[in-house]
Amino acid sequence: KLFTTNYSYIYIFLIATLGGLILNVMPCVFPVLSLKLLSILNNHQNSFYSVRKSFFVTAFGIIVCFLLLALVLIVLRLSGTSIGWGMQFQQPLFLMIIALELFLFSLNLMGFFEFYLPNFISHSFLMSVNNKSFYTDFFNGFFATLLATPCSAPFIGTAVSVAFTQSSLAMIGIFFFMGLGMSGPYIIAGLFPKLVTFLPKPGPWMKTLKYFLAILLLGTLVWIGLILQNHFNYFFIIISFLLALIIVVSFKYLSQFKFSAILASIIIFISLNFFPQFKNDTPIEYTDWQDLTKVNINAMIDHNIIFVDITADWCATCQYNKLNVLNSKLIQNAFIKNNVVKVRGDWTKPNKQIEQYLNNYNRFGIPFNIIYDKNYPNGIIFSELLTKSEIINAIE
């Protein structure tokens, strides 16, 4: 049924491709993809064959990660587990692993150490081209895709909603086209490798660029750390900082016991997740927003305009909407003038009530914004990327 002459699937595949393409410019992804730029700048004097293959390997890493995500989500759905776009960012252990990788990437860019692959890996099929950067190229694409999942870019929400409500084969197809869209710029660069000749030649300025990219990665690490504060207390933050300091000192000054000290620090850091003494169970407090899990929207519709915002600290698009639209004077004044009741659901941590609320609208990712009143009891749903004009128009 999937591959009959069904124009709706062609439309969804196109939407998925566009959504994947837009993910390349989202703030979650840029710090990691900048590593790809650095790799190309370091090696663009190589043959066009090597440059072409480098881009294709990155594209392959992106597509493989999307397909693996689809397979994992299918297995979870078949097991009866609720699934959602970016759901892994609700899990503290996943966030800790991502934080550790970002930290090590940053130290690598700042020259604290170099990655060396074991000999048995260096003779595997990816190394048959005799270029160690291809492992890095594949991992850059793979890792960038993982970091892209908390970003619900325009078109992504539509594609994911369809994927999660269709057959497993349809989900794989939609995720493949999202991967194809995100890998599109690399495929084009691989088809036309002479574009690399427009890049500046390597030189001393590259060292400054490395430090700049390291700062970008550390900025992403801070963002992950702020998300982790929802799961852990300040003792966790202090211990994590001390362990990071031990790793830095070990790379820089220890020689004989360097590996043991670094490995022990990493094991201790990961093990913190399993001790309840470091957990943060403080409930989220709102200011002038009501908690979605504590209100009855249906009971308020007859006498109020109700604006609902489903958000999470790990959702970059949600933060953009807050800073540029929801917290703007224009929208705040419109809410006050029209006595709009503001309701917020925070999905930073797993929450069954919020999950069920989203599922009622066949939505499996955030941001999700909707406005109700007695004339629109089913609500008016907004686009993922909010604009002031659409909110004003909806209120009016």
Side-chain angles (χ1 to χ4, degrees):
K1 290 182 179 179
L2 175 60
F3 296 107
T4 56
T5 54
N6 188 339
Y7 289 99
S8 63
Y9 274 111
I10 295 173
Y11 170 75
I12 290 300
F13 288 157
L14 178 61
I15 290 293
T17 305
L18 288 173
L21 181 64
I22 293 172
L23 282 176
N24 285 292
V25 295
M26 299 301 284
C28 326
V29 182
F30 178 74
V32 176
L33 293 189
S34 59
L35 296 176
K36 177 63 183 174
L37 172 64
L38 186 64
S39 171
I40 293 301
L41 288 170
N42 276 322
N43 300 293
H44 83 275
Q45 291 181 316
N46 293 346
S47 68
F48 287 134
Y49 170 78
S50 296
V51 172
R52 171 176 286 165
K53 199 146 191 173
S54 172
F55 279 115
F56 284 150
V57 169
T58 300
F60 181 63
I62 291 171
I63 293 172
V64 165
C65 190
F66 268 101
L67 291 176
L68 283 177
L69 280 172
L71 292 174
V72 169
L73 290 168
I74 287 168
V75 170
L76 289 174
R77 185 170 67 178
L78 292 174
S79 69
T81 305
S82 297
I83 57 176
W85 179 250
M87 61 184 291
Q88 69 271 27
F89 275 77
Q90 296 176 335
Q91 305 303 321
L93 186 58
F94 174 83
L95 291 169
M96 292 169 74
I97 293 170
I98 292 291
L100 182 62
E101 290 176 346
L102 287 170
F103 178 62
L104 292 176
F105 273 163
S106 302
L107 294 183
N108 176 246
L109 284 175
M110 289 187 285
F112 280 84
F113 72 99
E114 296 293 334
F115 286 113
Y116 293 103
L117 294 172
N119 290 330
F120 74 91
I121 295 179
S122 65
H123 292 94
S124 62
F125 77 98
L126 273 179
M127 299 302 292
S128 62
V129 291
N130 296 320
N131 192 328
K132 293 187 177 183
S133 70
F134 290 145
Y135 270 121
T136 306
D137 294 327
F138 179 86
F139 188 74
N140 279 348
F142 195 93
F143 191 55
T145 303
L146 287 180
L147 280 182
T149 54
C151 290
S152 187
F155 304 113
I156 284 291
T158 304
V160 167
S161 296
V162 173
F164 288 1
T165 55
Q166 299 298 310
S167 67
S168 298
L169 185 59
M171 184 187 286
I172 291 172
I174 291 169
F175 271 69
F176 170 77
F177 278 96
M178 278 197 287
L180 194 64
M182 188 173 172
S183 62
Y186 303 96
I187 294 173
I188 292 171
L191 293 172
F192 304 100
K194 288 187 178 181
L195 292 172
V196 178
T197 57
F198 291 101
L199 294 173
K201 293 183 179 180
W205 63 273
M206 294 281 292
K207 192 170 184 179
T208 305
L209 178 63
K210 279 188 176 184
Y211 282 111
F212 174 71
L213 295 179
I215 291 171
L216 284 181
L217 288 181
L218 287 173
T220 308
L221 177 60
V222 170
W223 169 58
I224 296 291
L226 292 173
I227 301 171
L228 280 168
Q229 275 192 307
N230 292 284
H231 298 274
F232 299 102
N233 56 31
Y234 285 105
F235 292 111
F236 169 85
I237 302 296
I238 293 168
I239 293 173
S240 297
F241 181 79
L242 291 174
L243 291 172
L245 195 61
I246 290 171
I247 291 175
V248 171
V249 170
S250 299
F251 274 127
K252 199 70 178 175
Y253 300 107
L254 296 184
S255 54
Q256 187 176 358
F257 302 106
K258 176 167 64 176
F259 179 78
S260 299
I262 293 169
L263 183 61
S265 298
I266 291 172
I267 292 172
I268 293 170
F269 173 67
I270 296 298
S271 67
L272 295 178
N273 178 59
F274 305 102
F275 289 92
Q277 293 88 344
F278 300 110
K279 298 288 185 178
N280 177 17
D281 296 320
T282 307
I284 297 166
E285 294 183 2
Y286 299 97
T287 51
D288 54 342
W289 290 78
Q290 298 191 38
D291 189 343
L292 177 72
T293 62
K294 297 178 181 177
V295 300
N296 186 340
I297 290 175
N298 293 327
M300 298 190 295
I301 284 178
D302 288 340
H303 307 287
N304 300 280
I305 299 175
I306 304 165
F307 181 88
V308 177
D309 175 41
I310 307 298
T311 183
D313 286 358
W314 44 262
C315 171
T317 313
C318 301
Q319 307 314 314
Y320 174 87
N321 287 341
K322 286 180 192 175
L323 290 172
N324 292 278
V325 181
L326 296 179
N327 293 344
S328 67
K329 277 191 176 181
L330 178 65
I331 297 302
Q332 288 297 314
N333 289 337
F335 284 159
I336 294 169
K337 180 182 175 182
N338 295 278
N339 296 315
V340 176
V341 177
K342 298 184 292 183
V343 178
R344 176 164 283 162
D346 193 300
W347 209 31
T348 301
K349 297 180 182 179
N351 186 297
K352 289 293 181 183
Q353 286 177 264
I354 295 174
E355 192 178 290
Q356 184 57 51
Y357 178 80
L358 290 170
N359 291 346
N360 290 339
Y361 294 92
N362 277 333
R363 292 301 177 102
F364 302 89
I366 54 175
F368 178 74
N369 297 100
I370 187 170
I371 194 166
Y372 307 89
D373 82 337
K374 61 183 178 182
N375 297 314
Y376 294 91
N378 295 321
I380 300 172
I381 299 174
F382 297 100
S383 59
E384 288 95 346
L385 207 58
L386 288 176
T387 63
K388 296 171 187 176
S389 60
E390 68 173 330
I391 293 179
I392 298 295
N393 290 338
I395 291 173
E396 291 174 352

